[in-house]
Amino acid sequence: MIRPAVPAAAVRQGSLRELNLAVVLGRIAAAPHPPSRADVATATGLTRATVSAVVDDLVAGRLVGESEPAPRTGAGRPARGLVLAGNGPAGLGLEINVDYLAACVVDLAGGVRHHTVRRADLRPVSPADTLARLVGLADAARADAERQGLTLAGAALAVPGLVDAAGLVRLAPNLGWRDVPVPELLSGHPPMVEPVPGIPPLVVENEANLAALGELHAGPDGPVSFLHVSGEVGIGAGIVLDGALFRGVRGWSGEIGHIPVQPEGRPCRCGGRGCLERYAGQEAVLAAAGLDRADLPADTAAARLADLALAEHPATRAALAEAGQALGVAVACVVNLLDLDTVVLGGGYALLTPWLRPPLLAEVSRLVLTAGWSPVTVRPSALGPEAAVVGAAGSVVRRIVADPVGWLNRTG
Amino acid sequence: MIRPAVPAAAVRQGSLRELNLAVVLGRIAAAPHPPSRADVATATGLTRATVSAVVDDLVAGRLVGESEPAPRTGAGRPARGLVLAGNGPAGLGLEINVDYLAACVVDLAGGVRHHTVRRADLRPVSPADTLARLVGLADAARADAERQGLTLAGAALAVPGLVDAAGLVRLAPNLGWRDVPVPELLSGHPPMVEPVPGIPPLVVENEANLAALGELHAGPDGPVSFLHVSGEVGIGAGIVLDGALFRGVRGWSGEIGHIPVQPEGRPCRCGGRGCLERYAGQEAVLAAAGLDRADLPADTAAARLADLALAEHPATRAALAEAGQALGVAVACVVNLLDLDTVVLGGGYALLTPWLRPPLLAEVSRLVLTAGWSPVTVRPSALGPEAAVVGAAGSVVRRIVADPVGWLNRTG
């Protein structure tokens, strides 16, 4: 028997109205400039009457608004353009990391409307207490969103660990979490968002994956296939292929921190030796630079290292050279395996790119078979340490844009 | 601006007849038992009259045949089932490897109708002379296919190297090829197959990719996401995700042979040190087992190693343990990165699986973060060393099944 490459016989079922709502909204979201109703009709092949009826529904549902008319350039009256609404549903992004909690609100148009970070070493705090603090941040974010006329329609939580499909955090080694059932622990608190059919109230996801998604959607001109490497206490990677996050068979892809860069090297918490984290993780870099981690909150460590590197502090320069070389060995593995041509340095690495990139690229040139005729680009993340929490909120928003029917049909 | 997840407004254009031909043929190809016309109508949502007209076209075009009736089990006359034709178009698979050339013909139903292997050390032979020899094999395969009533409708050539989209072999290190323009060198020879609109007459592709595809389509019950590792003189990998080959941005994915398993270890031709190939490639294993490679054609080396391992030859057992351990380090990197749960050992490794698997799994358990609650399966390839050439021929056949219109519309 041969498995055919032909698609299934029927396109996904759904009423014509539902399909048209998604197609028109998707078109408005993807347009480089606010399109008129006539532009949308031309681009989608729908009639102008259908587009107008659908747009009316989207405007009534606070999914679409109309921009101010463009300045008059010719004879006729300039058309007003259609834009994603800035006063409708919004996504709540949350993040738990080793040294901070964060919350943010992103509107349908991608605007960040609220962003708070609360610093604290969370390693001694129990998962239940950590989540209770997070609920406090979420409540404040919700109140601020409502003051701005927005309705939180879903939430996504970024955690530095391996999460299963039910939201169970199987392992977050740097937090010390193992088998933490996040949805169950949150069930004693009031819901953080308004229930919307078809939109999960809370998705729990690996932070490196959400950071990569944040980066993908940060601008219209970025690469559609890349490796996003986040350097914090741990090192995570998100793999984006053809504009979609590659999650792996069970959602646990991207554990780049445990690629052995020195197999007979330093022992690692994971049981291996010489893992990337032991050479390029934040603790390793701080130690090599002669800095005392206890004096330095994690979220200021990268800035402190960048200051010292700019001042040509020899130990810091050497530490970053070693980290870049180790990153280069791991990145070379990834490029040899996946044939990606772009690496985005995120999290704490974004600020340190000027010093990490040269040794990283030297290793890539040495170890990647195709490097001679096909260069690899290394660039800093646009969002830096905020990528995960912004990516989390953005993931909610994209879900609404992709399938707006649940929001339009909600009661209340 | 937000990039929407909504699909483009219009499904791929094409006449209704073309779509129906592909849908009906795809359904017949995918059915576990030969379906009746009525079964196809039910499964596709098309009317029985439409299905009958489409099936008539497919039968007239030698794409579909009718099976013998099943034994009578009840009152009515049993329906004859529809099957992919064994007397229509077929795919020509070709392979150039370090120590042999191969050709095979696969019919639409997946049956291997012709298979020849010609052994020779090709390293001293020029690319042009190698390709001339290959044309001889292709001619013999074509004559044999025609004697069996088959028409070769396309060819795919597997090479152990990096190939670009135009068929230029950028680098095949173990053959000593660099920048070999295969289509140009073949243009002086008569075409190997009948021209069919929409079917490329020759696709040149990395052998590890084609071997992984061969494995994917070898049986209906195999995994749809896996890593296929082929061990020959070089070590290549094919990455299959959700039933599709992952080629990478430029088609150069899967270079697992140069993952550093001992970064301060043995120097490698690639310029790195301690690459997997230097510990688990055929030459390394033979040397460690105390065997003289010159006495042993590459395609018998795996069988010889398996014989010695069965006889408990100490140096061979030790060599395979070292190779398995090195493979385990590389596989652990891949699993940490891609979260795959199945590894298929192909090429020369298939026969050696009993000795490679235990040390490989020991490294995976030690180095993969999720290994504790999510085991990795390691199994031998179903096709072994023939996977690449059978996969090559099968890739042609699947292209015809996915888009049969070119074949039906051809002149002559």
Side-chain angles (χ1 to χ4, degrees):
Chain A
M1 203 196 78
I2 297 186
R3 290 201 198 142
V6 170
V11 175
R12 173 177 156 270
Q13 293 299 317
S15 80
L16 200 56
R17 171 176 176 268
E18 293 183 4
L19 187 61
N20 287 341
L21 285 165
V23 165
V24 170
L25 188 59
R27 183 66 215 172
I28 293 167
H33 307 291
S36 66
R37 285 169 166 76
D39 294 336
V40 173
T42 304
T44 59
L46 298 170
T47 67
R48 291 179 70 155
T50 301
V51 169
S52 272
V54 168
V55 167
D56 288 347
D57 283 355
L58 294 170
V59 170
R62 290 191 290 140
L63 291 169
V64 165
E66 294 190 86
S67 68
E68 289 306 302
R72 189 183 295 257
T73 54
R77 190 162 60 94
R80 300 178 70 186
L82 300 168
V83 294
L84 293 174
N87 65 342
L92 174 62
L94 300 166
E95 182 178 3
I96 297 172
N97 220 312
V98 177
D99 289 59
Y100 63 91
L101 296 173
C104 84
V105 174
V106 168
D107 67 24
L108 219 52
V112 177
R113 305 287 289 267
H114 172 96
H115 186 208
T116 44
V117 178
R118 187 168 301 169
R119 290 171 194 170
D121 184 349
L122 294 166
R123 280 172 286 200
V125 183
S126 75
D129 287 348
T130 298
L131 289 167
R133 293 189 198 179
L134 189 73
V135 169
L137 251 68
D139 287 344
R142 180 185 167 129
D144 189 24
E146 286 173 356
R147 269 194 299 276
Q148 299 180 62
L150 293 162
T151 306
L152 297 186
L157 166 61
V159 294
L162 299 162
V163 189
D164 76 8
L168 175 70
V169 178
R170 300 298 300 254
L171 182 66
N174 293 313
L175 269 176
W177 287 19
R178 184 178 284 274
D179 293 325
V180 174
V182 170
E184 192 181 312
L185 290 173
L186 285 173
S187 64
H189 299 272
M192 294 189 277
V193 302
E194 177 181 340
V196 172
I199 305 292
L202 180 70
V203 172
V204 187
E205 171 74 275
N206 175 267
E207 55 94 19
N209 282 349
L210 288 169
L213 274 180
E215 197 61 29
L216 173 67
H217 297 286
D221 301 320
V224 295
S225 296
F226 60 87
L227 177 75
H228 183 273
V229 187
S230 318
E232 307 291 350
V233 174
I235 301 174
I239 300 167
V240 173
L241 305 177
D242 290 334
L245 183 66
F246 176 69
R247 285 192 160 78
V249 172
R250 296 148 303 202
W252 299 331
S253 68
E255 289 301 326
I256 197 176
H258 300 280
I259 285 187
V261 297
Q262 296 281 1
E264 303 304 320
R266 303 170 190 159
C268 180
R269 269 173 286 203
C270 78
R273 296 189 79 89
C275 294
L276 176 62
E277 258 178 40
R278 300 289 288 111
Y279 297 84
Q282 203 173 73
E283 293 182 350
V285 176
L286 290 173
L291 300 178
D292 190 344
R293 208 185 148 276
D295 301 341
L296 213 56
D299 61 338
T300 64
R304 179 80 182 119
L305 288 167
D307 282 348
L308 288 168
L310 273 172
E312 304 195 14
H313 181 252
T316 300
R317 287 286 184 101
L320 292 174
E322 183 183 48
Q325 190 266 336
L327 275 169
V329 173
V331 165
C333 282
V334 176
V335 174
N336 271 327
L337 269 176
L338 295 181
D339 181 32
L340 295 170
D341 59 4
T342 304
V343 176
V344 179
L345 294 180
Y349 288 151
L351 276 177
L352 301 171
T353 304
W355 302 282
L356 295 172
R357 177 159 43 188
L360 194 167
L361 283 175
E363 287 303 297
V364 167
S365 296
R366 193 171 67 90
L367 299 173
V368 171
L369 287 188
T370 59
W373 63 88
S374 175
V376 171
T377 301
V378 175
R379 61 175 187 73
S381 144
L383 297 173
E386 280 113 64
V389 74
V390 172
S395 71
V396 174
V397 162
R398 279 187 303 281
R399 214 181 275 257
I400 299 168
V401 171
D403 189 2
V405 176
W407 166 261
L408 292 172
N409 288 352
R410 78 197 187 286
T411 53
Chain B
M1 204 196 77
I2 295 185
R3 290 199 199 146
V6 170
V11 174
R12 172 179 157 270
Q13 293 299 319
S15 80
L16 199 56
R17 171 176 176 269
E18 292 182 7
L19 186 61
N20 287 342
L21 284 165
V23 165
V24 169
L25 188 59
R27 183 66 213 170
I28 293 168
H33 306 291
S36 66
R37 286 171 165 75
D39 295 337
V40 172
T42 306
T44 59
L46 298 170
T47 67
R48 291 179 68 157
T50 300
V51 169
S52 273
V54 168
V55 167
D56 289 346
D57 284 354
L58 294 171
V59 170
R62 291 191 291 141
L63 291 169
V64 164
E66 295 190 83
S67 68
E68 288 306 301
R72 192 183 292 260
T73 53
R77 191 162 60 94
R80 302 177 71 185
L82 299 169
V83 293
L84 292 174
N87 64 342
L92 173 63
L94 300 167
E95 183 178 3
I96 297 172
N97 220 311
V98 177
D99 289 58
Y100 63 91
L101 296 172
C104 84
V105 174
V106 168
D107 67 25
L108 218 53
V112 176
R113 303 288 287 269
H114 172 96
H115 187 209
T116 43
V117 177
R118 186 168 299 170
R119 290 170 195 169
D121 184 349
L122 294 165
R123 281 173 285 199
V125 183
S126 74
D129 287 347
T130 299
L131 289 167
R133 292 189 199 182
L134 190 73
V135 169
L137 252 69
D139 287 344
R142 180 184 168 131
D144 189 24
E146 286 174 355
R147 270 193 298 275
Q148 299 181 62
L150 293 162
T151 306
L152 297 186
L157 167 60
V159 293
L162 299 163
V163 188
D164 76 8
L168 176 70
V169 178
R170 302 297 300 251
L171 183 65
N174 293 313
L175 269 177
W177 287 19
R178 184 178 284 273
D179 293 326
V180 174
V182 170
E184 193 181 312
L185 290 174
L186 285 172
S187 64
H189 297 274
M192 294 189 276
V193 303
E194 178 180 340
V196 172
I199 304 292
L202 180 70
V203 172
V204 187
E205 170 75 274
N206 176 268
E207 56 94 19
N209 282 350
L210 289 169
L213 273 181
E215 197 62 27
L216 173 67
H217 296 286
D221 301 320
V224 295
S225 297
F226 59 89
L227 176 75
H228 182 275
V229 187
S230 318
E232 308 290 351
V233 173
I235 301 174
I239 300 167
V240 174
L241 305 177
D242 291 334
L245 183 66
F246 176 70
R247 284 191 161 79
V249 171
R250 296 149 301 200
W252 300 330
S253 69
E255 290 301 325
I256 197 176
H258 300 279
I259 286 186
V261 296
Q262 297 281 2
E264 302 304 320
R266 303 172 191 159
C268 180
R269 268 172 287 203
C270 77
R273 296 188 79 88
C275 295
L276 175 61
E277 261 179 35
R278 301 289 289 112
Y279 298 85
Q282 203 174 71
E283 293 182 351
V285 176
L286 290 173
L291 300 179
D292 189 345
R293 207 186 150 277
D295 301 342
L296 214 58
D299 61 340
T300 64
R304 179 79 182 122
L305 288 167
D307 281 347
L308 288 168
L310 274 171
E312 304 195 15
H313 181 253
T316 300
R317 288 284 185 102
L320 293 174
E322 182 183 48
Q325 190 266 338
L327 277 169
V329 173
V331 165
C333 282
V334 176
V335 173
N336 271 327
L337 269 176
L338 296 181
D339 181 32
L340 294 170
D341 58 6
T342 305
V343 177
V344 178
L345 295 180
Y349 289 150
L351 275 176
L352 301 171
T353 305
W355 301 282
L356 295 171
R357 177 158 47 188
L360 193 167
L361 283 175
E363 287 303 296
V364 167
S365 296
R366 192 170 69 89
L367 299 174
V368 172
L369 287 187
T370 60
W373 63 87
S374 175
V376 172
T377 300
V378 175
R379 63 172 185 73
S381 142
L383 296 172
E386 280 112 64
V389 73
V390 172
S395 71
V396 174
V397 161
R398 279 187 302 283
R399 213 181 275 257
I400 299 168
V401 171
D403 189 1
V405 175
W407 166 260
L408 291 172
N409 288 352
R410 78 196 187 286
T411 53

